[in-house]
Amino acid sequence: MVRKVLVSLAAAAVAVGIAVSIPWAGASQTRGSAGPAYEPVLDPGNFVRVIDNRYYPLPVGRKLVYRGVRDGLTQVDTVIVTNRTRVVEGITATVVSDIATHRGTLLEKTFDWFAQDKQGNVWYMGENTKAYNPDGTVDTSGSWEAGVNDAEPGIIMEANPRVPDAYRQEFLAGEAEDTAWIVDRGGKVTVPYGAVYHVLTSLEATRVEPGSYDQKVYAPGIGIVTEHSLTGDETSRLVRVRN
């Protein structure tokens, strides 16, 4: 019953364009369900170099390893916060490497770009992603960059997330349209890494894949500790963290 309720709530949020209680600190914007109505305007002078958001910290050098299943294959995701930066729309973003493998075979390699404003919100500025298909081809369709081809940045984590905050995490029409909704705060979750407390839970959906909903759980001082599809069999759980 809980699962059905969460999916129904996520569907309702997507249907109204995720236009609920959205604190866009440090940005001006117009609101709407899609396209040019969503256009946050960010001030480069309102950003800091260190990303220390409670639920999405990205200290340089941190390495997180996840294990799970995707598309029927076991998968290991290795996430590393690099010392590299990328300037996107005048904002200096931290480059985060995310490499997915199956039994040593490369499945996907992504470089994500994040930046934190002075209010503490972490913005997702774009990504360079390559998915390696079994036939040897490489798919880069998930790549996008704020300010290029009408792509817009989104918030990956608010400074003070509260139920039922909802917000866009990225926007490039037809390619990158992830949205998130905060559904719970508090409690405990146990993953291979160990037990974590005072967690934050969100639901994510995208117009690119109608009917698909994911649940993510974040731990203070760590970030994502587990995620799973509510409408499929994909899972991912944190195994270890190295600072």
Side-chain angles (χ1 to χ4, degrees), residues 54-55 159-163 182-187 198-201 220:
R54 185 185 187 203
Y55 288 104
N160 183 30
R162 295 167 293 181
V163 178
I182 304 301
V183 296
D184 194 22
R185 287 190 64 164
H198 310 295
V199 299
L200 176 77
T201 303

Side-chain angles (χ1 to χ4, degrees), residues 2 20 26 185 199 214:
V2 171
V20 207
R185 287 190 64 164
V199 299
D214 296 327

Side-chain angles (χ1 to χ4, degrees), residues 93-111:
T94 295
V95 178
V96 177
S97 167
D98 186 345
I99 297 175
T101 61
H102 166 66
R103 297 180 179 177
T105 299
L106 182 61
L107 298 177
E108 189 170 333
K109 187 174 185 179
T110 300
F111 293 102

Side-chain angles (χ1 to χ4, degrees), residues 41-229:
V41 180
L42 307 186
D43 175 10
N46 191 51
F47 281 77
V48 296
R49 293 297 295 270
V50 176
I51 299 177
D52 58 3
N53 179 289
R54 185 185 187 203
Y55 288 104
Y56 212 89
L58 295 174
V60 172
R62 171 164 287 184
K63 178 179 180 180
L64 305 101
V65 178
Y66 300 85
R67 292 185 183 275
V69 176
R70 183 178 180 183
D71 297 329
L73 298 176
T74 57
Q75 181 169 304
V76 175
D77 273 286
T78 302
V79 177
I80 298 176
V81 183
T82 76
N83 60 3
R84 297 167 50 195
T85 59
R86 181 181 180 93
V87 177
V88 181
E89 293 201 302
I91 297 166
T92 299
T94 295
V95 178
V96 177
S97 167
D98 186 345
I99 297 175
T101 61
H102 166 66
R103 297 180 179 177
T105 299
L106 182 61
L107 298 177
E108 189 170 333
K109 187 174 185 179
T110 300
F111 293 102
D112 295 300
W113 311 317
F114 300 101
Q116 181 173 303
D117 64 28
K118 290 181 179 179
Q119 289 71 35
N121 303 297
V122 180
W123 290 81
Y124 191 20
M125 306 301 296
E127 64 178 297
N128 179 356
T129 184
K130 295 179 179 178
Y132 298 85
N133 300 317
D135 62 3
T137 59
V138 179
D139 181 7
T140 62
S141 62
S143 300
W144 66 279
E145 180 176 345
V148 177
N149 296 325
D150 293 326
E152 301 291 348
I155 284 184
I156 204 71
M157 181 56 66
E158 297 177 301
N160 183 30
R162 295 167 293 181
V163 178
D165 287 354
Y167 45 89
R168 288 192 180 277
Q169 295 182 305
E170 58 182 7
F171 186 77
L172 175 58
E175 296 289 346
E177 298 192 45
D178 287 3
T179 53
W181 190 17
I182 304 301
V183 296
D184 194 22
R185 287 190 64 164
K188 167 190 171 184
V189 169
T190 300
V191 293
Y193 169 76
V196 292
Y197 300 83
H198 310 295
V199 299
L200 176 77
T201 303
S202 73
L203 291 182
E204 292 189 5
T206 174
R207 291 176 183 272
V208 179
E209 298 178 24
S212 177
Y213 304 104
D214 296 327
Q215 181 186 66
K216 289 186 180 179
V217 178
Y218 301 80
I222 297 176
I224 298 172
V225 292
T226 180
E227 58 181 293
H228 73 274
S229 171

